[in-house]
Every structure is written in structure tokens, then in C-alpha cells.
Amino acid sequence: MTLQIDPPAARPDGDPPRGRPARAASPGWFRAFWRWHLYASLLVAPILLVLASTGLIYLFRFQLEPLLHADVMLVEQPADMDFTQPYSAQEAAVERAYPDATIISMTEPDDEGRSTRFSIVTGSGEARDVYVNPWGAEVLGAINPDTTLSGYAVRIHRDLMVGKWGDHLIELAASWAFVMALTGYYLYWKGRAARRRRPRSLRSRHGRIGLVAGVGLLLLLASGLPWTGIFGAKVQELATDRGTSMWSTDPGAVSDPTSTLDESLPHSHAQEVPWGSGKTEVPRSSGHEGSSRANLDTAVEIASEQGLRHPMTVALPASEDGVYSVIGYAFDAPSDERTVHVGRFGGEVESTYGYDDYPALAKVVAQGIGLHEGRSLGLWSFWGSALMCLAIIASCITGPLMWWRRRPGGSVGAPRGRMPLRASPFLLVAVVVLGLLLPLFGLSLLVVLAFDHLLVRRVPALSRFFDTAPIPTPSSTPR
């Protein structure tokens, strides 16, 4: 896996027969791209398979979870009742059922057949979602949101459930996935004649699937990178230095607010906080204890008057002078993202913040995240994301299967060929730019090149296994 030009080779799987001179070969762009496509695919296919599968589960979470937890998530309207109970009455029911817990937030039902969800933290510090029948204000039960199917999917998709190292591994795989996708398109174009000869072969099917999957993969990778720990943090740092931000009007939260919006909800529900508002400061109530006291119903009513869409999520006050932070529904339109902070004493609007207040960069990122989650363009976006996930899964299966069937014994089976960087300044610049934009890719590329030059090409067994031309020794150099 090196980037200089290999000596010409008569066959991709070995040296030319003895006694016969090797036939001159072209610089071997096709073989070089094929080689790097193969190695990149073997490295990232397992992680992409996991990300696409968990992404697909997350995409269908609103359909799957009610089926799996129908006893607490689904309700029926009583025949003799045509109005739901106030949210304050439902809140009181949760307090009676869990007297030692702290109620963090409330999310309205999204239709008449769904229950109201209250997120709590128990006395032992555990997060729970408590579901309440809005018609009778009775508690139906509680679920640990981290242990639901979609909860596991979110945690695996975020960092493989191993913290920052999982996040770095995903970012590394995403970086090399760019290489896999771009080299795949080159191979698709160059291999069009072979596909016409064998249109039903596994190679042809993989190419056609990849033609679709590559578009979705590049889009999903680009829109998902702002979440990553290294690339995302670096972009935010650069944006902050230039007076802008990927979120909020407070670049990088330089004011170090006491409380931010994304801290107002349990970690398992962080995705409910709009990306562009997550780092905004939560204000304090300007009233005093003697004022009329607002409640959940007051907050929802005032937010509705301010134009927020239902169903709303309300983060309850976290302190005596806290506020009700009401997040409007904007699942299908990031441009509708808006939060209204309502004082807990007089019920006044303390502040509002939404998409119109975002910096330009934050607006771009918010729209990209909406596309990433399959929600920005309604059903077109939803089913498009589902199709892309399925295409990526199919590519991650057909690619390794094709390699497994064709691989020779005793080696990886990669064709010999190296990127002709010395003869192509454009390609050299592209590799350098990609390495600078994606630091983990650049660092790992240097590691791979050092491993190849210092070890693989100097150890004959490794050279044979990785199908790399060894560095000639004095005894093997022809006189």
C-alpha cells in the first residue's frame, strides 16, 4: 500500500515466469485505484455496515418503538371523553408515582393514539422515560431509553458504545470511506466494458449497487462529520476564530454559560435539541417568588402563541430561578427550529432563539443534519435515506464476498499498482488536501506508508501477503 510507482508486473497475483522478460506495463491507474479501493473497503466495510444498520433502525424508530412497547406508548381515547388532562395534572401523576425522581422534560403526544412522555432522573441517578395516558392522567409505565432498540442503535451509531475511542474509530472509517467511494467511481467508469460482457456477475451487481450507494455515502459522510470529535472540533475552532460557528450566535460558547440547552435534557434525548441551539445559554426567570407561578400548560400555551409547532418538548426549570425551555417541532423542516424560554413565575417570554438567528455556517450544518437523518424533505428524504442505507449495506456485503471468491491463497489478492503521484500533480494535491481536511485520514495514511516502506517491502513474506513488490536487494539486482 504505497503511493510511488511499482515496477511493471506481468500478473497482478505474482512475478513473471522465470526466463521470460516482464512485458512493459502502463502506469497502472486502474490497478492502483483497484488496490486502494480494496484495502479501504476491507478496513471500513465492517464499520459502515454497523453504521448503515443502526442508522436504518434509527430512521424507523417512530414505527418500531410503538410496536415493541405498545403497552406504554399507545393509548385509546375513552368513548365518554373528548378532552385530555392538563399537562400539569399528568406531571403530578408522575410525581406521585416517582416521588424521589426529578422530572427533566415533557414531550407532547404526536397524535391522539400516543401517550405523553416525561423524562426523569431517579433518586439513584438513572434515566427513565415515564409514559402517561393523556386522557386519564394515569402512569402507564417506564422504560430506560438507553436500552430500547433505537436507544442501542443511537449509542452504537454515535461511538460504538465505547466513548471517545469509538468516535475516533468511526471518524477514521468515515475518512477512508471517502477514498473507497471515490476510487469506486473511477473503477465503475473504467470497468464499464467488462460489465457489458458479464452483466449478471457479482462484480457487475456490486458496481451498479455502488453507483447508488456512493452518492448516499458521500452525502451521509459529509453531513455526519460535524458530529465527530476531531474534525468537528477543528472546524468549530476555525469557525470561532473567524467570528462564526457551527451552532448558536455564541461561537464555541465562549461566554461559558452556566447552563446550555443541550444540558437541559437527558443524554439519551440529546437528539431532540436542535443542533444550532444546543450551545445556547438557558436564561433565568426575571420574576420573583411572589409573582403568579407558571406551569407546563402555561409554557406550552405561550410557546404556541409565539408560533411554535406541536408536538413540543419542554425542558422543566432546573433551579428555583430556571425557565421552561419549549422546543418547537421541526423534525421535517430544520428552518422551523425555534426555542422559547418561558419564565416560571410570571410566564413571560425570557428569550427566543431559532434558525433565523443561526450564523450562516450553522444553517448549512442544520440542513445537512436534517438530510443525514432523513427528515428535511418529507417522505422523499425519509425513503431516500432508507434506500441509501440499504444500498450501503448491500455494498458492504457484495464487495467482501466478491473479494473472498476471487482471492488467491496466501495473499490478500490485491492487484499490484501504485498511485502515480509523481506524474500527476493534481492527484498529489488531492491526496494532500484530503489529508489536511480529514486529520485522521492524513495521519493514518502516513502510518500506512511508513509500515509499507519500512516493513512490508523489506520482509518477503509480508510482501507476498500484501501483494507488494519488495525493495530489490544487492544480491537480487541484475548485473
Side-chain angles (χ1 to χ4, degrees):
M1 294 178 65
T2 183
L3 297 181
Q4 291 77 36
I5 302 177
D6 263 335
R11 303 196 314 264
D13 56 349
D15 296 323
R18 289 188 177 183
R20 296 176 58 188
R23 194 167 50 182
S26 64
W29 280 62
F30 183 80
R31 291 189 176 194
F33 275 83
W34 182 4
R35 181 181 183 86
W36 279 88
H37 182 77
L38 172 62
Y39 278 116
S41 301
L42 293 177
L43 288 171
V44 308
I47 295 179
L48 287 183
L49 184 61
V50 169
L51 294 179
S53 300
T54 53
L56 194 62
I57 292 172
Y58 183 73
L59 192 65
F60 285 91
R61 65 194 181 282
F62 297 120
Q63 291 76 30
L64 292 173
E65 294 299 347
L67 295 176
L68 298 174
H69 306 285
D71 56 329
V72 296
M73 293 186 178
L74 301 181
V75 297
E76 291 185 5
Q77 179 181 356
D80 58 346
M81 186 176 295
D82 57 0
F83 61 90
T84 59
Q85 298 298 310
Y87 292 126
S88 55
Q90 299 179 47
E91 179 187 9
V94 176
E95 291 174 341
R96 289 193 298 270
Y98 300 90
D100 297 329
T102 301
I103 301 178
I104 303 299
S105 67
M106 181 277 295
T107 299
E108 295 183 295
D110 53 9
D111 62 46
E112 293 182 352
R114 299 295 176 88
S115 53
T116 307
R117 187 184 76 213
F118 287 83
S119 296
I120 68 172
V121 175
T122 66
S124 58
E126 298 176 338
R128 292 290 184 271
D129 281 348
V130 181
Y131 293 88
V132 179
N133 186 338
W135 302 103
E138 67 264 18
V139 173
L140 302 174
I143 298 174
N144 184 342
D146 284 337
T147 60
T148 62
L149 178 63
S150 59
Y152 277 119
V154 169
R155 294 160 64 198
I156 294 172
H157 196 86
R158 181 176 58 229
D159 57 18
L160 305 178
M161 295 177 61
V162 293
K164 69 174 184 177
W165 292 109
D167 175 79
H168 294 341
L169 183 59
I170 289 176
E171 184 174 350
L172 178 64
S175 302
W176 279 94
F178 276 103
V179 176
M180 182 184 72
L182 295 175
T183 54
Y185 276 115
Y186 178 87
L187 296 177
Y188 182 87
W189 171 253
K190 297 295 290 186
R192 58 192 184 280
R195 285 195 307 277
R196 284 195 294 268
R197 290 193 297 269
R198 301 183 62 189
R200 296 184 179 181
S201 66
L202 182 59
R203 178 181 179 182
S204 295
R205 292 192 179 98
H206 177 74
R208 288 192 291 269
I209 293 172
L211 184 65
V212 176
V215 175
L217 182 60
L218 291 173
L219 177 62
L220 292 173
L221 291 173
S223 58
L225 280 173
W227 275 311
T228 57
I230 295 178
F231 175 86
K234 188 63 177 177
V235 171
Q236 176 61 18
E237 179 183 341
L238 293 173
T240 300
D241 292 341
R242 287 156 179 79
T244 185
S245 173
M246 288 197 298
W247 55 72
S248 79
T249 53
D250 184 6
V254 293
S255 62
D256 191 20
T258 304
S259 177
T260 58
L261 185 59
D262 59 4
E263 295 172 345
S264 301
L265 293 177
H267 186 62
S268 56
H269 294 297
Q271 67 271 15
E272 295 177 359
V273 178
W275 168 271
S277 303
K279 299 302 180 183
T280 56
E281 183 172 5
V282 175
R284 302 292 183 181
S285 292
S286 58
H288 53 82
E289 191 64 36
S291 305
S292 58
R293 201 173 185 88
N295 58 22
L296 265 175
D297 299 287
T298 308
V300 171
E301 181 180 357
I302 292 175
S304 182
E305 293 174 354
Q306 292 291 315
L308 266 65
R309 296 169 58 192
H310 296 272
M312 303 176 189
T313 294
V314 185
L316 275 64
S319 61
E320 285 301 318
D321 59 349
V323 295
Y324 291 94
S325 297
V326 188
I327 303 171
Y329 180 79
F331 182 83
D332 56 347
S335 56
D336 288 346
E337 291 176 0
R338 194 156 171 255
T339 300
V340 173
H341 301 285
V342 179
R344 69 178 305 175
F345 301 122
E348 62 280 346
V349 175
E350 299 292 350
S351 67
T352 64
Y353 189 79
Y355 183 86
D356 292 341
D357 304 308
Y358 294 175
L361 179 60
K363 290 181 178 180
V364 172
V365 174
Q367 293 291 348
I369 290 174
L371 289 173
H372 187 95
E373 295 183 340
R375 56 184 178 84
S376 286
L377 304 175
L379 290 178
W380 288 100
S381 167
F382 177 86
W383 289 112
S385 294
L387 175 62
M388 293 307 174
C389 287
L390 291 173
I392 292 171
I393 291 172
S395 293
C396 291
I397 294 174
T398 56
L401 180 61
M402 180 173 61
W403 163 75
W404 184 260
R405 288 180 177 180
R406 296 165 60 94
R407 82 193 193 290
S411 74
V412 175
R416 286 189 178 178
R418 302 181 188 175
M419 293 291 186
L421 297 184
R422 294 177 181 175
S424 176
F426 174 79
L427 186 60
L428 176 61
V429 171
V431 171
V432 172
V433 169
L434 191 61
L436 292 176
L437 289 176
L438 303 172
L440 282 183
F441 168 74
L443 180 62
S444 61
L445 180 61
L446 294 177
V447 172
V448 167
L449 294 179
F451 174 74
D452 175 81
H453 187 76
L454 299 178
L455 189 60
V456 171
R457 301 186 70 208
R458 298 175 185 273
V459 178
L462 291 176
S463 295
R464 289 192 296 270
F465 180 76
F466 287 103
D467 302 290
T468 300
I471 296 177
T473 60
S475 60
S476 63
T477 303
R479 295 181 180 180

